[in-house]
Amino acid sequence: MVKINYKLFPVKAHYFFFLGALGPIQPFLPIFGKHLGVSEVVIGTINASIPVLFFALKPVFGFILDYFQEKRKFVFMSLLSLMTVSFFLMIFIPESKDITHTEVNCTNITSCEKSVYQLWNAQLVCGNSTHEIFSDEDTLCVSNKRSLNCTNYESCTAIHAKMKSGFYTGVTFWSFVITISIGSIFCNICNSLTDAICFEVLGEGNEMKYGQQRVWGTIGFGMLCLIGGFFMNNVDNTVMYSIKDFYPAMYLCCFFMIIDLLFCYKLKLPPIQKSENIVLDVWNLVKQPHIATFLGFAVLAGMGDSAIIFYLLWYIEDLAKEMGQLENMKLLQGLTVAAETLIGEVVSFYLSGKILRKIGYGHCLSLCFVFYAIRFALIAMIPSPWWILPIELLMQGPTYALCYTTIVAYASAISPPGTTATVQGIAAGMDDAFGFVIGNLLWSALYKWYGGKVVFMSAAGLALASSIVHCFLYTTFFRNTVQIKKKDNSKIYEPANTEEIIESDEKREVRAEII
């Protein structure tokens, strides 16, 4: 007989619907911008600029939740509502390109001189057959001239696009910038606050149970990404890069967010001990050398994640262009994210508590960087876009899921009483804010100049170096350092070799290995 934990059910439901709402939209936002006509470097700059605000605002809103404890639910639901409205408004962004139908002689279409990464996909209709070609304003070309059979056709129709004048000063571009910025900022803040609320509901000493709650968000994200990719792949548009392809994803996002708000309204937040001085307590924590080191490696983890989140689907699409395999591309992208989440993340999130108990936070983080290095190297070497599926199926769990759980669970374990949301905001700000800023600036430049293969080989090198350095620092300096938190908010530091949780009626101590 299945027993429902009614205390944790609203937390699981929130993760499912909140991250489920992001599934059909978040992975596709960079591609959405590209289809509007935004260049790689500009998108990289936007992706790097937005996390700057994450970095500043996450601790701020974390402080607000810790300080105004009685208003936690109101603040949280307000942020969720603002995120929903911002993503919904993207539906009204106008087209940036004029679709044209040009009569051309099939034999006059030449091989592309530029890399297809820098071109838009177009269509050449010859009688009853349709061929994928590429365009750069008035220039039409094909990646492989031998794949274009013009024997039975004298005249064909090219369906392609021309950019409207003044794009970067026009309504389309700035509507995209404003909506994606506001939506992404509040989405990221809500994600951090969600983790803080989850740990508050779980209670101190139960950090290892986090993965069993977070796994439901992974299930929702993967399911909705797959469904969204299927719908987008089957939208009937004349040209593949129409932004109308993305409308089903936006509708799904808004529908799931409305359901999520209903569950959040029913969520009961437990009373927690209030810190007398949040700023002082947090400062005394982060100035410790081992905590500063932990935050530094959280930045490196964020740099690695930014390569996957912002550039993997883009790389798959460009690789498909180069190889003439654009058919069912949106479906492949949806399957990729579904493979990452529905199998890899589900298993790793569910088992993360057992893994952390077995090897500890420090060794676990070092191992995650090794898995990141393997994953990035394999991505860089794929011979065909469809090879991405087995790689992501096997590697997303040991990299992102396990690394993310290690970071947020450790941040919760070391938080002084009454500062959980603030410390989570700082840790998340270093990971998916500051790390994303540096990562996006680096990866966007490498992508523009050298392409996706160089991006992922560079990420593999960075991850391997991070693993070696972290393992050395941990085993040499921090392995025997343990923080002990007591109910009276005092802290001492003493040597110990293993993680231990001690509970009694008179006192409760939580010992967490220092990363």
Side-chain angles (χ1 to χ4, degrees):
M1 182 177 178
V2 178
K3 293 184 179 180
I4 299 176
N5 186 328
Y6 291 99
K7 174 185 175 183
L8 297 177
F9 177 75
V11 176
K12 291 180 172 70
H14 167 63
Y15 271 120
F16 180 84
F17 287 102
F18 171 59
L19 294 180
L22 300 180
I25 190 169
Q26 189 179 58
F28 301 101
L29 286 177
I31 302 173
F32 177 70
K34 183 181 179 182
H35 285 199
L36 286 173
V38 186
S39 71
E40 294 92 335
V41 172
V42 173
I43 290 178
T45 303
I46 294 172
N47 289 338
S49 301
I50 293 174
V52 172
L53 295 175
F54 296 168
F55 183 65
L57 293 176
K58 279 189 173 185
V60 171
F61 279 97
F63 175 87
I64 291 173
L65 251 68
D66 285 330
Y67 190 81
F68 299 101
Q69 293 185 8
E70 67 281 358
K71 300 293 185 182
R72 284 177 293 170
K73 184 187 292 188
F74 173 77
V75 173
F76 184 56
M77 292 185 64
S78 298
L79 295 174
L80 288 173
S81 301
L82 289 171
M83 182 201 81
T84 305
V85 171
S86 298
F87 283 142
F88 177 74
L89 290 177
M90 295 181 74
I91 295 172
F92 302 101
I93 297 178
E95 285 278 7
S96 57
K97 299 183 282 289
D98 292 319
I99 307 301
T100 62
H101 295 67
T102 307
E103 295 297 320
V104 297
N105 189 324
C106 180
T107 57
N108 292 336
I109 297 179
T110 60
S111 297
C112 298
E113 295 181 0
K114 289 184 178 181
S115 168
V116 296
Y117 296 158
Q118 303 173 12
L119 303 173
W120 299 322
N121 51 297
Q123 292 178 336
L124 184 69
V125 180
C126 300
N128 294 325
S129 63
T130 301
H131 305 274
E132 298 301 330
I133 60 175
F134 301 94
S135 70
D136 183 6
E137 293 294 337
D138 295 322
T139 303
L140 298 173
C141 64
V142 64
S143 59
N144 185 354
K145 180 66 176 178
R146 288 176 294 182
S147 65
L148 188 61
N149 186 1
C150 300
T151 305
N152 299 322
Y153 307 104
E154 294 182 359
S155 179
C156 300
T157 301
I159 305 173
H160 60 113
K162 286 186 177 181
M163 288 294 298
K164 296 179 181 179
S165 60
F167 172 70
Y168 286 107
T169 58
V171 174
T172 296
F173 173 71
W174 285 105
S175 297
F176 171 72
V177 171
I178 293 172
T179 53
I180 192 177
S181 298
I182 295 176
S184 297
I185 287 169
F186 288 121
C187 168
N188 209 278
I189 293 172
C190 287
N191 190 47
S192 174
L193 298 182
T194 293
D195 290 336
I197 289 173
C198 176
F199 286 115
E200 288 178 1
V201 175
L202 288 173
E204 285 191 31
N206 292 314
E207 291 84 9
M208 302 287 183
K209 295 181 180 179
Y210 166 80
Q212 297 175 13
Q213 321 310 315
R214 178 60 172 75
V215 69
W216 290 96
T218 288
I219 294 171
F221 188 93
M223 287 177 55
L224 268 294
C225 185
L226 180 61
I227 294 171
F230 174 80
F231 281 139
M232 287 187 286
N233 194 70
N234 288 278
V235 172
D236 184 18
N237 284 295
T238 306
V239 183
M240 293 176 64
Y241 45 62
S242 172
I243 61 174
K244 292 181 180 179
D245 289 353
F246 298 88
Y247 286 1
M250 297 171 187
Y251 292 136
L252 283 171
C253 174
C254 295
F255 176 71
F256 264 61
M257 280 308 306
I258 292 172
I259 298 176
D260 179 46
L261 286 169
L262 295 177
F263 275 102
C264 289
Y265 180 75
K266 294 292 185 180
L267 181 64
K268 295 182 179 180
L269 300 181
I272 59 175
Q273 180 180 340
K274 192 170 184 178
S275 170
E276 294 181 1
N277 192 324
I278 297 174
V279 175
L280 181 61
D281 286 343
V282 172
W283 170 246
N284 287 334
L285 175 71
V286 299
K287 72 180 182 180
Q288 300 294 328
H290 47 268
I291 303 299
T293 301
F294 156 67
L295 294 175
F297 280 94
V299 173
L300 293 171
M303 291 178 65
D305 287 333
S306 69
I308 296 292
I309 292 173
F310 295 107
Y311 296 98
L312 178 61
L313 298 189
W314 194 337
Y315 171 59
I316 295 172
E317 188 166 298
D318 285 343
L319 184 61
K321 280 186 180 181
E322 189 175 30
M323 304 184 69
Q325 299 179 4
L326 279 168
E327 187 178 1
N328 295 321
M329 179 46 52
K330 293 294 185 298
L331 179 60
L332 172 59
Q333 292 167 337
L335 286 172
T336 299
V337 179
E340 291 174 343
T341 54
L342 291 178
I343 299 178
E345 284 190 25
V346 167
V347 174
S348 292
F349 272 127
Y350 187 78
L351 297 177
S352 59
K354 294 181 180 179
I355 296 172
L356 287 171
R357 288 189 185 96
K358 186 70 175 179
I359 66 176
Y361 293 104
H363 289 310
C364 193
L365 190 57
S366 297
L367 188 61
C368 287
F369 281 119
V370 173
F371 286 128
Y372 269 118
I374 296 172
R375 180 184 184 183
F376 291 139
L378 290 174
I379 291 172
M381 295 186 291
I382 57 173
S384 166
W386 289 88
W387 276 95
I388 200 67
L389 290 177
I391 295 173
E392 293 303 282
L393 186 148
L394 295 173
M395 300 306 299
Q396 172 77 354
T399 53
Y400 171 76
L402 189 57
C403 186
Y404 184 81
T405 302
T406 302
I407 291 173
V408 298
Y410 182 70
S412 177
I414 63 175
S415 300
T419 66
T420 300
T422 306
V423 175
Q424 285 291 342
I426 293 173
M430 299 301 289
D431 178 8
D432 54 18
F434 192 48
F436 278 20
V437 171
I438 300 175
N440 270 301
L441 290 174
L442 176 61
W443 309 139
S444 65
L446 289 176
Y447 203 108
K448 177 67 174 179
W449 296 330
Y450 303 108
K453 291 183 183 294
V454 172
V455 167
F456 287 103
M457 285 305 297
S458 301
L462 177 64
L464 182 60
S466 299
S467 176
I468 295 171
V469 173
H470 181 269
C471 185
F472 170 77
L473 291 175
Y474 172 70
T475 56
T476 305
F477 298 106
F478 302 139
R479 185 173 184 175
N480 294 326
T481 306
V482 170
Q483 176 177 308
I484 301 175
K485 297 191 302 181
K486 294 184 178 181
K487 274 189 173 181
D488 62 3
N489 208 18
S490 63
K491 307 176 190 67
I492 58 174
Y493 294 86
E494 62 180 35
N497 290 321
T498 58
E499 179 183 75
E500 183 179 1
I501 298 177
I502 303 175
E503 295 191 56
S504 67
D505 294 332
E506 291 77 22
K507 65 179 181 179
R508 182 174 180 276
E509 301 176 353
V510 178
R511 300 186 177 188
E513 278 187 85
I514 297 303
I515 291 182

